[in-house]
Structure formats: C-alpha cells, structure tokens
Amino acid sequence: MDLREKGVIDGMENKFFRSEKFNGMQNNEIWGYLESSDDLLIRGDVNGDIFCRGTVYCNGNVAGNIRANQVQLYRSRVTGDITCRKIVTDSESDVKGFIIAESGLVSCHVSGDVTISGNQKETRHELV
C-alpha cells in the first residue's frame, strides 16, 4: 500500500521512511509508530507516536507523542506531548499535552505546559 497515494503521509522527495511497528492503515488513518530519518509531512490522522530526525510538518490530527528536530503545526490537533528543538504553530492548532522546545513560536491553544528553554522565547499560547 503506497501511503502517498492515500494522501495521509508524504515523505519529501528522496527521503527515507521507516517504521518497525507500523500496524497499517484503516479509513485513511495511520495506526502505529512512525520513524523518519528526515522530513515528514502529515496530512490526515496518525494514531501512534512519531520520531523524526528532520522536521515534522503537520496538517492533520496526531494521537500520540511527537519527538523531532523541528515541528510545524498548521490547523492541526495533537493529543500528546511534543519535544523538539524548534516549534512553530499557527493560532488554529490545538495541543492537548505539553510542549518542550529550545526555540520557537507557539500561537496555538495548549492544555499543558509550554517550556521554551533557548534564547528565542516567543510564546503566545493560550491555556485551555
């Protein structure tokens, strides 16, 4: 099954995608643990944790934790914790969990704590 044809997940051109605990897709949703050695574009629903050495570009729903070098959320809903070096969100996204990052801009609704530990501390999050 080609995940790109389903429009749920797109790896950038010539990027490596691997998941040892991938359980498959049901109703255009991904079930299982995702791991990528480079950038990952998510459109649709992911039910499981994500580990990415590159940037996670998310325009969908994630029920699980995200651990990545960078995270960009656009009109996304994340039910889980986000740990990354840099994060950028729009005001329409929603995070039900905590965010820990070294730098970034958090403009979305967050139900947990937001910790930006580095020099760039721009947060405009709203606690729900």
Side-chain angles (χ1 to χ4, degrees):
M1 176 182 309
D2 187 357
L3 299 176
R4 291 179 197 214
E5 289 177 10
K6 294 294 184 180
V8 175
I9 184 169
D10 292 328
M12 301 299 171
E13 284 303 312
N14 300 318
K15 306 298 181 187
F16 174 73
F17 170 77
R18 174 175 73 95
S19 179
E20 294 174 2
K21 298 179 182 176
F22 178 67
N23 295 331
M25 272 180 53
Q26 296 175 348
N27 301 323
N28 290 329
E29 296 180 14
I30 293 178
W31 292 84
Y33 173 81
L34 298 179
E35 182 176 337
S36 174
S37 64
D38 217 324
D39 297 341
L40 197 57
L41 172 60
I42 298 170
R43 298 181 304 184
D45 297 333
V46 174
N47 295 289
D49 293 340
I50 297 169
F51 176 78
C52 179
R53 289 185 180 90
T55 301
V56 172
Y57 301 94
C58 185
N59 178 226
N61 301 311
V62 176
N65 300 320
I66 299 174
R67 213 172 124 201
N69 186 39
Q70 294 185 40
V71 175
Q72 294 187 18
L73 301 180
Y74 177 71
R75 293 183 179 175
S76 300
R77 173 159 298 165
V78 177
T79 304
D81 303 325
I82 299 173
T83 306
C84 57
R85 289 187 184 206
K86 182 176 181 181
I87 187 164
V88 177
T89 73
D90 67 349
S91 61
E92 297 180 43
S93 293
D94 182 45
V95 177
K96 292 185 183 347
F98 65 77
I99 296 173
I100 297 176
E102 291 178 11
S103 66
L105 173 62
V106 178
S107 300
C108 67
H109 299 283
V110 181
S111 65
D113 293 333
V114 176
T115 303
I116 307 289
S117 62
N119 293 333
Q120 277 188 333
K121 291 187 178 181
E122 267 192 79
T123 60
R124 292 184 288 198
H125 71 280
E126 297 179 28
L127 295 177
V128 177

